[in-house]
Amino acid sequence: MASAVERTDELVREYLLYREFTSTLKSLDAEMKADKEKGCRVDKIVEHLQHLVQAFDLNGLREYWSYLDRRLFRRLEDTYRHTVNKLKTSLYRYYLVHTVQSNRIEKTQEFFQKLALELQNQPEWKEWFVLPYIPNPDQNQVFATYFSKQWAETFLVSLHNFLSVLFQCMPVPVLLSFDEEVQRRCQLQEENEALWQKLFAMQAEPRMKKEEEMIHHKLPYYVQNMDRLGDSELDLMSSQRTSSPMPSQTKAGSFLSMLLPQSKKLPVKGSMHSTPLQQSQTPASSAKKDNINNQAAKGKDGTAARDGKISSSTTADLGTGQQRQKKVQDLERDAGMVQQRQRKVLDYGKERKELLSKQTAQGVEKKPEGSSAEIDIPSSLELPIDQLDSPSKLEKCRLDGGSEQPFIVLSQEEYAEHHSSIMHCRVDCSGRRVASLDVDGVVKVWTFNPTMQTKATIMSKSQLISLEWATKPDRLLLLGSGVGTVRLYDTDAKKSLYELTIDESYPRILSLACSPDGTSFVCSSAAPSIKLATVSDIGEKGVNLVPGNLLLWDTKTMKQQHQFSLDPEPIAINCTAFSHNGNLLVSGAADGIIRLFDMQRYDCAMSWHAHSGEVYSVEFSYDENSVYSIGEDGKFIQWNIHKSGVKVSECAVQSDAIGPFVLSGYSGYKQVQVPHGRLFAFDSEGHCVLTCSSTGGIIHKLTNTERAMEPCLSLGGHRAPVVTVDWCTAMDCGTCLTASMDGRIKLTTLLAHKP
């Protein structure tokens, strides 16, 4: 109940502030400070009673207990009156014991003088009137129990439990029950989302099994016997060509494998029956051998079509060598039949050779001369995710065919309500809402579960250039403009709660970051850009090499708390990020320096030169022992925060992952955009990172090798360069957001693969 009261007080204060009822607000604040019920917080009530006892304030103790009796205890049924009286008696005895232990005998005598008329007729106080006159009451058999530490702790716990139950059972006004309904509704929504994700996973599993059964189905009996047909006729061909320099032991390939498309054959390292002599043959002899094998394979179909007697004899039983030899002898009796069959085999071999040469030229890369007999699979197997009709086809978008995928793609949806390039795209901490900002200054707040739906559209006279979700409550959104103002917007009520002016000399709000506890946020503002912000040169590097400042603001009062020192000189801060507990703040500046701030002392703990150029994006690692950064120099670097400037790992990223991002159009039109939002985001366990690319997002697996990250999954589907990404890990199924310059946002739902 205490949390509901606190929440309702905040709502009332926000309402009065919105309606500008300043006098009422002042009265409310004054009465809240003098609130005797302490916001229905039991711990505060017990603490106040202890404070009165320790201060020997008998009058205050009696008045406060009388208030509790009038406000709370009298609403109880008569059956609980005995319990209330016992607690009152124990409280007075607790006061007397404290006076004796503190050697304040005058306070003990004062107690009996003031309460003698009230207590003299009560039998439980009959023996206590001699307490001031006993030398060592803690050793007396009657009073020894009350002087023990165990009795005092038991009394305080009993009082605390009684008040807690009392507040839980009290009837509450409609306003307080409204907050309870809201919390219950949020809990039901979270349970519903979890059930949806579980349902998606259960639906994906049978589809994968079904497709595996379709791929690995059992071949019909007559198709299985085709290979045996080919082997028997190969023996016939070998017996007729004993004078040929070809090795007679060479086996023909499977007839079924000849009919399969070449691009679906798996790599085969060579025949198991090949001898060292065969492996050392020249390419010409190898080609000749392949031609003979193809001719022998043609005989499989020719024999079955020529003579029913031969077909039945070859398909009856091919298990043992004696039966196979008998069939060969039967076939040799008819020499004319053999010659005719050989002519057909030669014709078929020529046709097949021409067909295979065309297929090889179209889809299959040839191996270098002298390499082993291995068929190549095209290395580029990337497909847009929206073309995947089932999760089992995920293997088509692998970047590394040999490694196992860490995620399974469940679905991919598109949000297309923006009409210009995206600058920022962030999901709130609960994973229910997304806020996206385009270059026209239009903000869209939308949800994606169970369906995509726009909840609010925010437009401002002053162009908005940055945004960040508040953490508590998560419905609030911070919006930074290009004229030095920051707006606090309520996405549920669809209205602005407050707007503050940062500094007119630093009008551009480049970065916003809210602390995890939601009590404060940092704001990075900078002077106007050096260059004109036109379409042709907005992508020029170095536009943020201007003075700037970094300020800390209180979220509730919207007042400035601190201004951070940016040594060696004030510079524009491009990006900021808090640690999970809010004790550390990391920032990346336009001068290439990363600064780490201690939020307990509000000073810079360490700083180092990280990149040759601007720092575009920074984030803490999962264990928060290091910091990752991407800069203008195209490097993705991991830094040790315990040793200033020490690199843990470093690797170069593709140019389309850092910008400037370029979108070309008709008649030589070209739009260039420098990075504004997050350029990389981590999964829930910090093992993988999502980055931008020209056609979508790329998920990399973080490693401990020299190559800090290895690409493992491509999230395609974009027709324009992706300029910012985000990865929501609030639910079991991770949600990746990739936003591009054409105003499209792809939302990809992933399921972590558990081996």
Side-chain angles (χ1 to χ4, degrees), residues 494-506:
K494 299 181 182 179
K495 62 182 179 182
S496 296
L497 301 179
Y498 201 89
E499 185 173 358
L500 58 90
T501 301
I502 303 298
D503 192 342
E504 295 181 355
S505 58
Y506 300 112

Side-chain angles (χ1 to χ4, degrees), residues 6 12 113 121 354 404 418 422 562 599 621:
E6 183 180 2
V12 174
Q113 290 174 0
N121 296 326
E354 294 176 359
E404 189 174 354
H418 287 280
I422 306 297
H562 184 72
M599 298 304 294
S621 62

Side-chain angles (χ1 to χ4, degrees), residues 438-457:
D438 58 29
V439 295
D440 293 336
V442 178
V443 177
K444 297 282 187 179
V445 179
W446 46 283
T447 59
F448 54 86
N449 198 339
T451 58
M452 282 190 176
Q453 184 179 5
T454 302
K455 294 296 184 180
T457 300

Side-chain angles (χ1 to χ4, degrees), residues 262 432 558 719:
Q262 293 296 319
R432 296 193 297 265
M558 299 301 284
R719 298 180 180 179

Side-chain angles (χ1 to χ4, degrees), residues 520-569:
S520 60
F521 69 92
V522 294
C523 170
S524 165
S525 58
S529 175
I530 300 175
K531 299 180 174 59
L532 293 175
T534 60
V535 174
S536 60
D537 63 4
I538 194 173
E540 292 291 333
K541 298 183 178 181
V543 295
N544 288 332
L545 285 173
V546 293
N549 58 16
L550 185 63
L551 306 176
L552 179 68
W553 294 80
D554 186 275
T555 307
K556 293 184 178 180
T557 62
M558 299 301 284
K559 294 182 180 180
Q560 181 179 333
Q561 290 183 327
H562 184 72
Q563 179 174 354
F564 295 96
S565 176
L566 302 178
D567 296 328
E569 59 182 359

Side-chain angles (χ1 to χ4, degrees), residues 103-117:
N103 294 324
R104 301 293 299 272
I105 304 300
E106 69 277 7
K107 293 294 181 181
T108 308
Q109 295 175 351
E110 179 188 6
F111 174 85
F112 288 106
Q113 290 174 0
K114 292 183 177 181
L115 298 179
L117 295 177

Side-chain angles (χ1 to χ4, degrees), residues 256-266 359 364 375:
L256 181 61
S257 62
M258 294 177 184
L259 299 180
L260 290 175
Q262 293 296 319
S263 60
K264 293 185 179 180
K265 291 185 180 182
L266 296 176
Q359 292 179 353
V364 183
I375 300 176

